Amino acid sequence: MDDELPEPLRAVEHELTVLLRRGRAVSWEIAREVHPNLEPNAYGLLLWLRRCDSIRLTDLAARLGIGKGTLSRQINGLESLGLVRRDPDPTDRRAAQLSLTEQGRQRFDAARSARLRQFRRTLEDWPTRDVEEFARLLSRFNEIPL
């Protein structure tokens, strides 16, 4: 059956596997830079919160494609570390707006700066057009529901 798959598809699967393995290693590293007790998958949550500034839990769960219960447990962990806060939603008293605390923002920004410097070093020999195309193709791939 595997032999029936076109070579380019097998190459994509292989490269994505390598990318995910490298991504997990980087996530562990950067999570520890934000906070020694931060779970690696929480970096993505912090990135969304930094990008959105403030967002409802249900909206964030929908964007990430995870359940509200799972997300709520992860947010509780980030709150206990002092990185995230919940504020009452002015439009719905039953809901809350999630955002980074000042400490969360500072720690995230410092860790992200280090990560971006690493990306810059890794891609510095690539032509700008290649980096732009790489970003475009990754974005296109990431928009596909799995």
Side-chain angles (χ1 to χ4, degrees):
M1 172 143 168
D2 189 43
D3 294 337
E4 298 171 18
L5 295 174
E7 180 55 35
L9 188 57
R10 282 186 274 168
V12 166
E13 186 236 3
H14 171 78
E15 296 304 330
L16 280 175
T17 301
V18 172
L19 179 67
L20 292 171
R21 182 178 43 80
R22 289 179 72 186
R24 278 191 298 274
V26 169
S27 291
W28 275 101
E29 184 180 308
I30 199 163
R32 297 297 176 247
E33 288 179 35
V34 173
H35 193 283
N37 297 326
L38 186 66
E39 292 293 323
N41 61 354
Y43 178 81
L45 293 176
L46 297 175
L47 178 63
W48 274 103
L49 290 172
R50 185 66 170 111
R51 225 181 239 170
C52 297
D53 193 41
S54 179
I55 189 170
R56 289 171 64 164
L57 186 132
T58 53
D59 295 336
L60 184 57
R63 284 187 182 188
L64 297 173
I66 60 176
K68 291 187 295 184
T70 299
L71 181 58
S72 185
R73 282 189 296 281
Q74 291 174 341
I75 294 296
N76 287 342
L78 294 172
E79 280 183 298
S80 71
L81 296 175
L83 302 173
V84 171
R85 72 171 184 265
R86 295 178 202 239
D87 294 313
D89 186 330
T91 62
D92 183 351
R93 290 181 183 214
R94 298 167 295 165
Q97 290 283 330
L98 304 171
S99 59
L100 295 178
T101 62
E102 185 59 34
Q103 176 188 15
R105 188 175 295 111
Q106 289 173 356
R107 287 175 173 249
F108 175 83
D109 288 350
R112 187 174 189 210
S113 290
R115 185 177 206 182
L116 290 174
R117 282 192 303 276
Q118 182 179 12
F119 283 148
R120 178 178 285 142
R121 283 190 305 275
T122 301
L123 300 173
E124 69 186 351
D125 294 334
W126 288 30
T128 301
R129 290 182 64 182
D130 286 358
V131 175
E132 291 169 350
E133 182 69 358
F134 185 52
R136 185 188 71 75
L137 290 171
L138 283 173
S139 176
R140 181 177 172 191
F141 182 81
N142 284 331
E143 289 179 11
I144 299 170
L146 297 178

